[in-house]
Amino acid sequence: MPTERTYEPRGRLLPATREPLALEGIEIRLVRLPLVEPFETSNERLESRLVVLVAMRADGLVGWGEIVAGEAPAYSYETVETARHVIRDFLAPAALAKPVTGLQDLAGRFAHVAGHNMAKAGLELAYTHLAAQRERVSLAVALAGERNRVPVGVSLGIQPRLPDLLDRVERHLALGYQRIKLKIKPSWDVDIVREVRRQYPDILLSVDANAAYSLADVDHLRRLDEFGLLMIEQPFERDDLVDHAALQAHLSTSICLDESVVGVRSARQALQLGACRIINIKVGRVGGYAQALAIHDLCLSRGVPVWCGGMLESGIGRAHNLALASLPGFVLPGDISASARYFARDVIVPAVEVASDGTIAVPSGVGLGFDIDVEYIARQTVTIERIDRTTR
């Protein structure tokens, strides 16, 4: 285990720095965005994203957040419909009950709801965007971020044929991405990784199983050690720590946990058990900024590297990820990617772009640092719900 060290974050807007925010209303909007190409994991294949956007109003400002739940319970039990239900009937009434004094206050109001981290995160993101706007600072400054550019990699889904995958690897390396991550599953793993490594012996390469394997596959997974991978992400079940610890003891390659880490408590337990050496922080998966920051601080204090995972977010979620990834503990390239990686047109202006050196600029403008393309969002909206403080 890496040596612990003290970390003291400075400048976070966790308590409100002025008067509490009296929220006036919350809007839940479902927006259908077509993907530029299908994206397949061991769990599902997507051709479009039904994005859940939340907008929170206060003091003449609008804070935007995104809920990363899918239409089907593949990655998580949460879905678009569970998120709408939980926000409408439980989280929104708690948020609107009285003025919010800070992020921890809001997170505490949601604590009575078991699980449903993605729904909680959407509201925490919207609130933090509001708070940053009121203080006239960027999201990164609000979170005490330190970087003005973050390194990024790309996640490549399972393809019909190996040549299709190799073509995508070549294309994204040419675009500057610093790390290639391959989705794997049984029958699409060792031989595929071997060929990618043979053709690209020096690239930073990792794999992501999305819980497709079990402890019975230890000997098979050990074959991945020969390819010099940065990490093997989430090989076992979503709720498992113990079997991951057993696997890590047999591997020279670092295990990275994703689905198994749903908050700072499970992150601490994973590190204590030796279940992983790297943690992927997805702000939606862990329930919002309060938990994401706590996990970051824990890992940084222990010298454990973290990186920012992606969930095929629109530009709104992508902007929040950029702000989070500007914190000092995010030392590995994240799955943030350019807008054009997934969408022909994004919901923010300008679109997120990756520079030739494989980095993305962290916006320095107030709030998200991007303009919200409200007109395009309206055209792509499928349904909209409004929950007002006076009418709830």
Side-chain angles (χ1 to χ4, degrees), residues 146-294:
E146 297 179 0
R147 295 187 180 90
N148 56 22
R149 303 196 71 87
V150 298
V152 295
V154 67
S155 177
L156 301 181
I158 294 167
Q159 302 298 320
R161 303 178 312 126
L162 176 57
D164 297 328
L165 176 63
L166 294 173
D167 175 70
R168 283 161 175 77
V169 172
E170 179 65 27
R171 186 194 324 160
H172 288 91
L173 288 173
L175 290 171
Y177 287 99
Q178 293 189 16
R179 188 261 297 135
I180 297 292
K181 183 173 82 173
L182 307 177
K183 295 288 185 177
I184 61 170
K185 65 179 180 179
S187 77
W188 183 272
D189 48 26
V190 174
D191 292 341
I192 300 302
V193 177
R194 177 181 289 110
E195 184 58 24
V196 172
R197 178 55 86 198
R198 187 186 70 81
Q199 296 208 25
Y200 303 97
D202 300 322
I203 66 170
L204 201 59
L205 183 65
S206 66
V207 297
D208 182 6
N210 289 115
Y213 298 87
S214 72
L215 204 54
D217 299 307
V218 169
D219 288 340
H220 182 71
L221 291 170
R222 288 179 67 183
R223 297 170 64 191
L224 293 170
D225 274 342
E226 66 182 275
F227 305 123
L229 299 176
L230 173 65
M231 69 185 85
I232 301 173
E233 188 177 351
Q234 196 69 39
F236 292 166
E237 286 290 338
R238 295 163 178 80
D239 60 353
D240 174 75
L241 297 178
V242 174
D243 286 355
H244 278 108
L247 176 62
Q248 183 66 90
H250 286 88
L251 295 178
S252 60
T253 306
S254 294
I255 290 175
C256 170
L257 288 183
D258 177 355
E259 290 96 323
S260 293
V261 175
V262 295
V264 68
R265 178 172 174 269
S266 54
R268 184 178 64 252
Q269 291 173 340
L271 298 179
Q272 289 172 343
L273 289 170
C276 64
R277 299 174 189 152
I278 299 170
I279 289 179
N280 169 357
I281 301 180
K282 291 177 178 173
V283 67
R285 186 193 72 237
V286 302
Y289 279 132
Q291 285 292 311
L293 294 171

Side-chain angles (χ1 to χ4, degrees), residues 7-41:
Y7 169 63
E8 294 291 341
R10 307 273 181 201
R12 284 192 186 148
L13 296 180
L14 295 187
T17 54
R18 294 199 294 169
E19 290 299 313
L21 268 170
L23 306 180
E24 298 158 9
I26 294 168
E27 176 183 287
I28 312 169
R29 187 185 289 262
L30 271 55
V31 180
R32 175 72 69 181
L33 298 178
L35 297 175
V36 294
E37 62 182 18
F39 187 82
E40 184 174 346
T41 72

